[in-house]
């Protein structure tokens, strides 16, 4: 194997923002997320020279898997899902440090074996290493894992030092306010808050981070970022995929828990927050929490602030697909929504009177996530002469989170000719055109940030609770009324009529991204 000088990791050096020697332990290592996202992310960090020179990966799950077999699974995951194909140059360096521990999540002896293994790595290296625990199991075992990390002494290892143990906790973070509080309590009985990294992978997306840069590094946006100029904000996270094989999970979740309460609310918080006093994690998280706490409680019931629906059979890319109620593992009488639309009011100086509309659905016309800032309509009087349009289009600034990441501005211009006629046109910036398209995946950024102890792109305990406080009454209400008020939309469409009605109540319409 020839080491390339362009890869410090391969030379046994550590370039990057100072990640100390690290062991990453993935709980649930036999699972889907590990193979599809986590191991490919770690591989790409290695390929980019961003892993510390002394790096080890330990998979932990109940299924007995020999080390060699786990390495093969890891390699297969990288081959199938990584943004780069594995090269021997990187893989041969990583593979010897990839091992597996089999055991129950509630089995203290298994955690003792894990602790011994980590101590063995330290002895071999002749130095202390930090451990990052990645909890990537279904949520019913989160607590057992956390408790065992506490009782085995792994959680408190090197506490208070930069290389103290850290824990990444996957979603869903509770299923309502009460369960989120209970989970926070369990976590904080074992780990100090600075050790805890609650993940929302949307925060690791390049464009989501760029939202802060766009807002606070350009003087043209911020002066107009308020109720004096903005009419409404629309946040859309639309997916083409249906529920697939995840029926068991999804039936207990639905779009509001799965997407709205976490991903779209994080987008809202970054869009609506005040400028933080610094880029320090706590300063940013303080501002996000302030916005979440300023949101007015939602009104449920007919003509309230919420709409829900399920997809019915339709066409995706010209091919027929089943409706939600016909999908595998779904109760034919299910009351679980695959689409959710919400109208939020933020009661603060900046946003008073500006509705924020959020929507997310599966099996929609197109996979697209965007934040659209819709400005107030300009007065049309000046161009009200013969041949002119009275109804000037409103300006829209749209951040396209994915795919085809970018930013566009819609503004009015004169149609060339002797008459004065106006037409809205779009000016676009696309990341791929300027910077190329092989950007890092969210999990790469987030795992690296945790290794270097930067919690900015993770969610603090009080943020999760502030968000659940908004949605728990909605979820409770829907549960209490069964299928009442459940609308439907054809797979491949832009959503149900009740969602359009939610905006029409205030004389607005969804923008088609
Ligand atoms: P899996 O269902 O694949 O489970 C991961 C592993 O956990 C399994 O391989 C299994 O390992 C163990 N496990 C599964 N069910 C149970 C159970 N009932 N009790 C105890 N152990 C169990 O999950 P994913 O990998 O899909 O997801 C992991 C976490 O990441 C979840 O919290 C999920 O919500 C979250 N997530 C997943 C995403 C994805 O795309 N998959 C996206 C975003 C978040 P073993 O039996 O060997 O112990
Ligand atoms: C996950 C949800 O959190 O996000 C899934 O559980 C959803 O249901 C996924 O499909 C969407 O993520 P992305 O990055 O593909 O937009």
């Amino acid at each position: 194997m020839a080491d390339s000088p362009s890869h410090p990791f391969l030379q046994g050096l550590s370039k990057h923002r100072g990640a100390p020697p690290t062991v990453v332990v993935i709980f649930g290592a036999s699972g889907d997320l590990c193979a599809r996202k986590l191991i490919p992310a770690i591989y790409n960090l290695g390929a980019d020279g961003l892993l510390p020179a002394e790096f080890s990966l330990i998979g932990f799950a109940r299924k007995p898997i020999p080390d060699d077999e786990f390495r093969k699974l890891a390699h297969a995951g990288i081959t199938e899902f990584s943004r780069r194909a594995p090269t021997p140059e990187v893989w041969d360096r990583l593979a010897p440090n990839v091992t597996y521990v089999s055991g129950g999540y509630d089995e203290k002896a298994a955690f003792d074996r894990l602790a011994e293994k980590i101590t063995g790595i330290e002895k071999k290296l002749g130095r202390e290493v930090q451990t990052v625990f990645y909890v990537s199991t279904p949520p019913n075992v989160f607590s057992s894992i956390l408790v065992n990390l506490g009782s085995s002494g792994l959680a408190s290892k090197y506490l208070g030092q930069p290389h103290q143990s850290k824990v990444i906790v996957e979603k869903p973070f509770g299923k309502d306010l009460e369960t989120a509080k209970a989970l926070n309590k369990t976590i904080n009985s074992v780990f100090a808050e600075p050790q805890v990294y609650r993940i929302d992978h949307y925060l690791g997306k390049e464009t989501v981070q760029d939202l802060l840069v766009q807002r606070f590094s350009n003087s043209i946006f911020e002066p107009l970022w308020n109720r004096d100029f903005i009419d409404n904000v629309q946040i859309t996270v639309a997916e083409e995929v249906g529920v697939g094989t995840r029926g068991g999970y999804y039936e207990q979740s639905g779009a509001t828990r799965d997407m709205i309460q976490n991903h779209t609310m994080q987008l809202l918080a970054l869009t609506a927050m005040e400028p933080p006093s610094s880029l320090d994690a706590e300063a940013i998280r303080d501002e996000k929490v302030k916005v979440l706490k300023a949101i007015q409680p939602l009104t449920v019931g007919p003509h309230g602030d919420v709409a829900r629906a399920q997809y019915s059979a339709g066409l995706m890319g010209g091919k027929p697909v089943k409706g939600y109620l016909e999908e595998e593992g779904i109760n034919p009488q299910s009351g679980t929504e695959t689409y959710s639309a919400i109208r939020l009011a933020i009661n603060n100086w900046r946003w008073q009177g500006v509705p924020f509309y959020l929507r997310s659905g599966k099996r929609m016309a197109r996979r697209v996530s965007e934040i659209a800032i819709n400005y107030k309509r300009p007065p049309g009087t000046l161009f009200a002469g013969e041949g002119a349009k009275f109804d000037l289009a409103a300006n829209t600034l749209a951040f396209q989170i994915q795919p085809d990441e970018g930013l566009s501005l819609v503004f009015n211009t004169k149609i060339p000719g002797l008459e004065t006629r106006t037409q809205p046109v779009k000016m676009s910036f696309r990341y791929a055109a300027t910077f190329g398209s092989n950007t890092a995946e969210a999990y790469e950024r987030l795992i690296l940030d945790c290794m270097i102890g930067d919690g900015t792109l993770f969610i603090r305990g009080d943020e999760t609770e502030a968000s659940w406080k908004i949605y728990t009454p909605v979820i409770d209400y829907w549960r209490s009324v069964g299928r009442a008020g459940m609308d439907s939309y054809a797979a491949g469409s832009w959503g149900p009529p009740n969602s359009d009605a939610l905006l029409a109540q205030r004389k607005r319409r969804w923008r088609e991204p």
Side-chain angles (χ1 to χ4, degrees), residues 257-271:
R257 282 190 172 112
D258 189 44
M259 302 295 284
I260 295 279
Q261 180 276 335
N262 39 45
H263 303 325
T264 63
M265 288 303 280
Q266 286 300 316
L267 299 181
L268 176 142
L270 292 173
T271 306

Side-chain angles (χ1 to χ4, degrees), residues 203-500:
L203 290 178
K205 290 184 190 279
E206 196 63 54
T207 30
V208 176
Q209 294 157 50
D210 195 31
L211 182 58
L212 289 186
V213 177
Q214 298 279 1
R215 273 193 68 188
F216 302 128
S217 75
N218 293 299
S219 41
I220 54 171
F221 297 140
E222 201 53 22
L224 310 182
W225 207 262
N226 58 53
R227 66 191 156 98
D228 294 337
F229 297 93
I230 294 175
D231 178 79
N232 70 87
V233 176
Q234 298 183 9
I235 300 181
T236 299
V237 178
E239 296 189 277
E240 285 177 19
V241 292
V243 71
T245 53
R246 294 172 76 211
Y249 157 76
Y250 202 81
E251 273 285 87
Q252 304 304 316
S253 173
T256 312
R257 282 190 172 112
D258 189 44
M259 302 295 284
I260 295 279
Q261 180 276 335
N262 39 45
H263 303 325
T264 63
M265 288 303 280
Q266 286 300 316
L267 299 181
L268 176 142
L270 292 173
T271 306
M273 72 182 202
E274 293 300 315
S277 56
S278 74
L279 286 180
D280 174 69
E282 293 317 306
I284 292 178
R285 300 201 283 192
D286 285 347
E287 294 305 334
K288 283 162 65 191
V289 172
K290 272 192 227 161
V291 169
L292 296 178
K293 288 189 171 167
I295 291 174
Q296 198 171 289
L298 294 171
T299 306
V300 292
H303 311 297
D305 296 318
V306 297
R308 62 174 174 158
Q310 292 170 336
Y311 61 83
S312 54
L315 291 176
M316 297 295 306
K319 292 198 180 122
V321 295
K322 288 179 187 168
Y324 180 65
L325 299 178
E326 290 90 57
E327 297 268 25
E328 189 190 325
I330 304 301
N331 173 359
Q333 305 299 321
S334 174
T336 300
E337 77 288 356
T338 62
Y339 178 100
S340 177
I342 313 285
R343 177 178 56 218
L344 292 163
I346 303 176
N347 274 332
N348 65 16
W349 186 270
R350 188 189 284 263
W351 295 116
Q352 182 76 49
V354 180
F356 278 66
Y357 295 104
L358 272 48
R359 61 176 161 169
S360 181
K362 296 218 181 273
R363 285 281 190 239
M364 292 187 63
R366 194 157 75 78
R367 175 176 181 255
V368 61
S369 299
E370 73 157 30
I371 302 167
I373 314 293
N374 295 312
Y375 287 88
K376 290 190 171 168
R377 203 174 281 284
T381 47
L382 197 56
F383 298 105
E386 199 184 331
K389 280 189 179 174
F390 254 110
D391 206 10
L392 287 175
N395 301 116
T396 294
L397 180 66
F399 296 85
Q400 187 146 327
I401 307 296
Q402 62 184 22
D404 197 15
E405 291 79 356
L407 177 68
S408 66
L409 179 66
V410 174
F411 58 97
N412 291 304
T413 193
K414 179 180 173 299
I415 302 172
L418 300 180
E419 289 175 330
T420 301
R421 291 192 300 138
T422 65
Q423 180 179 309
V425 292
K426 192 162 100 172
M427 189 162 70
S428 291
F429 153 71
R430 293 284 163 239
Y431 282 74
T434 305
F435 301 115
S437 58
N438 196 12
T439 47
E441 286 242 4
Y443 286 93
E444 295 171 39
R445 170 71 191 241
L446 295 172
I447 291 171
L448 178 64
D449 278 2
C450 178
M451 288 198 296
I452 62 172
D454 182 349
T456 312
L457 299 176
F458 292 83
I459 306 174
R460 209 167 57 189
D462 53 350
E463 268 183 80
T464 58
E465 292 179 18
S467 182
W468 276 122
K469 195 170 171 196
I470 297 163
Y471 289 102
T472 300
V474 178
I475 287 163
D476 286 349
Y477 169 74
W478 280 340
R479 195 189 316 120
S480 73
V481 298
R483 287 181 52 81
M486 178 74 77
D487 207 344
S488 71
Y489 59 104
S493 70
W494 273 114
N498 63 357
S499 163
D500 294 340

